[in-house]
Amino acid sequence: MHLLDCPSQAYAWGTAFDIPSFIGRAATGQPMAEVWMGTHPLGPAMVQGPEGAVPLSEVAGELPFMMKLLSAAKPLSIQVHPNAELARKGFEAEEAEGVPLESPQRVFKDPNPKPEMVYALTAFDTLVGFRPTAEILRILGPLDHPVTQRMHDQLAANPGFHGIVRMLEALLLEPPTPHEVHEVVALCHGRLALGLDIKRAYASATEIAPHYPGDVGVVVSLLLNRLTLQPGEAAYLGAGIIHAHLRGMCVEVMVNSDNVLRAGLTDKTLSPAGVVASIQADMSRVARVSPDLFGTSTDVFEPGDGLFGLAVSQTSPADVDGVLLPDGGPRILVCTGGEVEVVNAAGDAVRLTRGAVLYAGPEDGELRLRGTGEVAQAYRPTEGAHRARMLDLV
């Protein structure tokens, strides 16, 4: 077992104090948006070896999954993650063109898809998947503006999922002017003042607009379901589902990838064609992950694709023999509260306090948790062990 030193990312949408407080670092006053726990080359965790710190990959090889802490003070970009085929083709094309990995114009950072799951540590607000056609028409109809009326008429003439995608494509290729976006937001404020919102659509647009004034993504947000996860709840964002996290703190587990195709709420390059090509019809509403119980103290969240899983275990002195953690392959663990010991099959023990991160390999065998606290564990599920259920988010 190895304690990990994990890099952080200072994206502008991050919070200044939440992650530093969680991991026990001094806050600098600058945003700390993410902590990366894994072997991705753009942000590998480090292990202390006999001759100094080395990347985790030198101990564990390239892990197929990655875990993150994420804390958002304002909305992230509206985005879609590519599937395996699109990711591979996009990566190969940009490699052939010689686009540097660090370039702002680089879209595909690796050849992997990026399905991901979020597990809320605080109340966590996000936009996930397209609303049904009828709901979108009800939202756009009362907004008496040429932009929204044009969208309404396009969807009414071509309803259903593919009609929504075509409408989004037209909006991204010919976005409204910043002034037009401001006018749409003013109309949303007007509906809210009358108490006439539709499943938080107008509220979402008015909350986002001050952070990204005039951005086309403010209008796109009207098309997306608003979802609030309470602490301990999880949602799965498969490759091909459009989404935008709004605020809150979570643990993320994902395939070892950093591929993002953006559709608004960012100053980075938008990818209208890539977004449209990546959106999948069967990923519009199903997002909540209902956990199954492993033993008596562990919630297991496995979205069913076999790529990664998350197990959240609690222990107390009532667990005389400790709490057995699921799975025995490579694992990354982060303590999300309290103070615990992780004990491997050989009896070796490592103490974790909140924010501490640990890697355990197959050679460590089964792990047990002791103390009083909670640990989140990322892993690759054993084949056929998909324990969780996917639910309609609404």
Side-chain angles (χ1 to χ4, degrees), residues 361-374:
E363 66 278 5
D364 288 301
E366 70 177 28
L367 302 180
R368 287 189 176 271
L369 196 64
R370 296 174 180 162
T372 302
E374 180 181 85

Side-chain angles (χ1 to χ4, degrees), residues 182-238:
H182 294 319
E183 291 177 331
V184 171
V185 172
L187 291 168
C188 291
H189 276 293
R191 301 299 291 178
L192 286 172
L194 297 173
L196 300 173
D197 204 353
I198 299 173
K199 296 187 179 178
R200 298 191 286 174
Y202 304 142
S204 295
T206 57
E207 291 168 16
I208 293 168
H211 299 293
Y212 300 96
D215 192 290
V216 64
V218 177
V219 179
V220 176
S221 75
L222 295 169
L223 312 179
L224 308 182
N225 297 292
R226 175 78 174 262
L227 174 65
T228 300
L229 298 174
Q230 297 303 323
E233 294 182 331
Y236 176 63
L237 310 172

Side-chain angles (χ1 to χ4, degrees), residues 318-336:
D319 304 303
V320 178
D321 297 322
V323 170
L324 179 65
L325 303 184
D327 260 71
R331 293 146 286 180
I332 293 179
L333 295 81
V334 58
C335 181
T336 52

